[in-house]
Amino acid sequence: MSTGPGPVSETLGADELLDRLDTLADLLVDTVAGGASVGFLYPLDRTAALAWWRAQAGAVRAGELAVRICRDGERVLGTVAVAYADKPNARHRAEIRKLMVHRDARGRGLGRALLADAETAAAEAGITLLLLDTETDSPAETLYRSAGWTVLGVVPGHAEDPGGTLRPTTFFYKGLGAVLSTAAGTGTGSCSAR
């Protein structure tokens, strides 16, 4: 960790995402190695992680995906994405995707801060309903419950964990309402716990 002012959060444009491919791939590989169910199996090849992140740049450029990071210097400690719906009747909703925090940066509130930033940025973009899913009984599920998300339901055997075992998935939603926090959003700020 740097001795500077501490971790900084920011939303990446497509070019910034491409500039940070190496450290984003490191984060994804570490997240999967740590057992988090984020759509990949262990071991995740670094080349595959680089390719996955590279593929996200088009969606960011098109405004379909907003990627927010928490970084310390040039190193990405965590990330979260907001995927906007592509149907005309769904412009009010979005999905939280790929909330990840590097294993050596966990326990400092970075995941909670990134989630709050994503919620605020979505509300500022006119989103009133957020959705997400996560592995049942995971630390992520505990975070979402404590952050005021409502359980929609559990689907047994929905996805494989990184080890290849079918696990249940808990689906959540959260209404954003009209109140926006000025402490977070789409600019650059601190990603320390609130």
Side-chain angles (χ1 to χ4, degrees):
M1 300 294 293
S2 74
T3 57
V8 173
S9 66
E10 62 186 325
T11 299
L12 299 180
D15 292 337
E16 291 92 3
L17 186 149
L18 292 171
D19 288 344
R20 295 190 183 278
L21 278 179
D22 285 330
T23 189
L24 287 165
D26 291 342
L27 173 63
L28 181 55
V29 168
D30 176 77
T31 300
V32 174
S37 183
V38 290
F40 300 92
L41 299 176
Y42 178 82
L44 176 60
D45 178 74
R46 190 166 192 286
T47 302
L50 284 164
W52 184 84
W53 275 111
R54 191 175 291 109
Q56 305 313 299
V60 169
R61 188 168 278 115
E64 299 163 354
L65 185 71
V67 175
R68 190 152 185 97
I69 64 167
C70 175
R71 65 176 174 80
D72 190 9
E74 294 304 310
R75 182 171 177 239
V76 175
L77 303 175
T79 187
V80 65
V82 178
Y84 297 98
D86 62 353
K87 296 173 181 63
N89 71 341
R91 292 178 296 202
H92 66 289
R93 70 176 189 244
E95 182 181 349
I96 297 292
R97 293 185 183 165
K98 302 291 187 276
L99 177 59
M100 300 182 273
V101 175
H102 199 283
R103 285 181 288 177
D104 66 12
R106 291 183 186 160
R108 299 187 301 190
L110 300 181
R112 183 173 300 279
L114 280 164
L115 181 61
D117 283 352
E119 292 172 5
T120 301
E124 289 173 344
I127 300 300
T128 58
L129 177 65
L130 285 173
L131 304 163
L132 65 79
D133 65 82
T134 193
E135 182 179 324
T136 303
D137 296 328
S138 67
E141 180 182 19
T142 302
L143 169 64
Y144 300 133
R145 286 179 184 271
S146 70
W149 285 72
T150 301
V151 173
L152 180 60
V154 175
V155 177
H158 181 262
E160 293 180 28
D161 67 15
T165 302
L166 281 175
R167 300 274 300 132
T169 297
T170 304
F171 288 80
F172 288 88
Y173 70 92
K174 187 172 191 178
L176 297 182
V179 178
L180 296 175
S181 168
T182 58
T186 56
T188 300
S190 170
C191 51
S192 57
R194 292 177 184 24

